[in-house]
């Protein structure tokens, strides 16, 4: 009798190597955690994959965009075959192929002042910020730090090439990152500040584009190994905290 390979796929088998490293109790704690990621582009998509491969079962991914050709060089689910697909749907399909038992909620939405309440931030153990928009990022920081959830944020991953310069530090101690600097000015100008400290992933490297920016795609130059490392570090922060 031929055995279907899918019949042999169990969570115990999938996560055996992680269990060897972390232990059974730690894996159970990881599996119970609820995580939401805002923005599943170059940073958030890799974070999502790392979390699911590490045993996170309850994951919500939020992004309003569709896959474009300019995403293919650095975003996990972006390939020439997924161009035009909704990002969160393409990523969910990928994540479910890793662990079919995972509970992945894909929301094609944007986090704004108008939509913030519908995400019920208080219901998550971990909130991860990989948003590009300054105003929306600032709002997520303000609201997430009011919750009891652990909150981790990515600063800018563009215009960087040296992975050895990527660091993790408390937000107000970030140095050399333009996005963090603009965020701090934004908070001071509006007289609103995060309720508590939180960890950021950032790099103090800042290169320049060697080619003119395409007016139809105004993003700065970015490369996969940098955005992926940002995402992996965010996932690492979650896993390390979850097993304490």
């Amino acid at each position: 009798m031929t055995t279907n390979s899918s019949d042999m796929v169990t969570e115990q088998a999938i996560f055996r190597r992680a269990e060897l490293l972390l232990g059974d109790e730690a894996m159970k704690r990881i599996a119970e955690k609820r995580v939401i990621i805002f923005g599943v582009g170059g940073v958030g998509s890799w974070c999502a994959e790392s979390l699911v491969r590490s045993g996170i079962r309850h994951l919500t991914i939020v992004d309003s965009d569709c896959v474009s050709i300019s995403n293919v060089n650095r975003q996990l689910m972006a390939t020439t075959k997924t161009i035009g697909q909704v990002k969160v749907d393409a990523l969910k399909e990928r994540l479910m192929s890793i662990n079919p038992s995972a509970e992945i909620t894909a929301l094609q939405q944007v986090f704004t002042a108008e939509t913030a309440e519908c995400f019920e931030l208080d219901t998550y153990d971990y909130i991860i910020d990989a948003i590009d928009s300054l105003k929306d990022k600032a709002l997520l920081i303000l609201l997430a730090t009011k919750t009891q959830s652990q909150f981790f944020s990515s600063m800018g991953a563009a215009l960087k090439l040296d992975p050895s310069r990527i660091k993790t530090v408390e937000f107000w101690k970030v140095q050399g990152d333009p996005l963090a600097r603009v965020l701090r000015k934004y908070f001071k100008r509006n007289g609103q500040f995060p309720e508590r400290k939180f960890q950021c992933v950032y790099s103090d490297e800042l290169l320049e584009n060697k080619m003119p920016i395409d007016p139809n795609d105004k993003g700065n130059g970015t490369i996969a190994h940098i955005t992926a490392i940002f995402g992996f570090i965010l996932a690492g922060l979650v896993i390390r905290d979850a097993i304490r």
Side-chain angles (χ1 to χ4, degrees):
M1 182 177 68
T2 302
T3 301
N4 190 320
S5 61
S6 64
D7 294 337
M8 301 174 64
V9 174
T10 64
E11 286 190 304
Q12 184 177 12
I14 292 169
F15 301 117
R16 178 58 180 158
R17 292 298 181 95
E19 187 178 44
L20 286 172
L21 176 65
L22 303 176
D24 179 61
E25 288 304 314
M27 293 305 296
K28 288 178 181 177
R29 290 199 294 274
I30 290 170
E32 293 171 352
K33 301 301 182 183
R34 288 171 48 82
V35 184
I36 186 167
I37 303 175
F38 289 95
V40 292
V43 173
S45 61
W46 297 96
C47 178
E49 168 133 345
S50 184
L51 288 173
V52 171
R53 287 188 184 273
S54 300
I56 291 291
R57 296 186 75 254
H58 309 286
L59 178 64
T60 299
I61 50 177
V62 183
D63 199 301
S64 63
D65 291 341
C66 294
V67 177
S68 68
I69 187 66
S70 65
N71 301 149
V72 174
N73 84 310
R74 70 195 184 284
Q75 298 185 13
L76 178 72
M77 65 289 174
T79 70
T80 54
K81 293 183 178 181
T82 61
I83 291 171
Q85 293 183 21
V86 174
K87 282 186 181 180
V88 290
D89 291 343
L91 181 57
K92 178 178 179 177
E93 183 177 352
R94 162 83 175 189
L95 299 177
M96 294 300 294
S97 72
I98 296 167
N99 182 9
S101 298
E103 297 177 6
I104 310 295
T105 302
L107 301 177
Q108 188 189 11
Q109 297 182 39
V110 60
F111 182 88
T112 65
E114 292 70 34
T115 64
E117 277 193 24
C118 75
F119 295 106
E120 299 181 325
L121 297 180
D122 284 301
T123 65
Y124 293 93
D125 299 293
Y126 296 94
I127 301 168
I128 297 176
D129 159 41
I131 293 176
D132 293 327
S133 164
L134 174 65
K135 185 177 181 181
D136 297 336
K137 192 180 194 75
L139 178 63
L140 179 58
I141 290 172
L142 291 174
L143 295 182
T145 56
K146 289 181 179 180
T147 71
Q148 297 299 311
S149 310
Q150 279 285 10
F151 174 63
F152 302 118
S153 180
S154 171
M155 295 296 105
L159 299 175
K160 304 175 193 308
L161 194 60
D162 183 355
S164 70
R165 293 175 68 168
I166 301 174
K167 307 176 181 70
T168 304
V169 74
E170 198 279 318
F171 172 69
W172 293 99
K173 295 182 179 179
V174 173
Q175 296 182 346
D177 179 271
L179 179 55
R181 183 166 57 249
V182 172
L183 279 167
R184 289 194 288 254
K185 288 182 179 179
Y186 182 91
F187 292 139
K188 291 175 182 176
R189 183 171 65 249
N190 289 281
Q192 293 180 296
F193 299 92
E195 291 285 322
R196 53 185 167 86
K197 296 180 179 180
F198 60 95
Q199 294 291 303
C200 295
V201 180
Y202 81 104
S203 167
D204 60 5
E205 182 180 26
L206 188 61
L207 304 176
E208 295 183 358
N209 291 309
K210 293 186 179 295
M211 299 290 290
I213 293 178
D214 184 340
N216 297 316
D217 178 18
K218 297 182 180 180
N220 285 306
T222 319
I223 199 162
H225 68 269
I226 296 295
T227 62
I229 293 171
F230 269 60
F232 289 150
I233 292 175
L234 286 170
L237 291 171
V238 171
I239 298 303
R240 287 176 61 194
D241 186 81
I243 65 176
R244 286 179 181 171

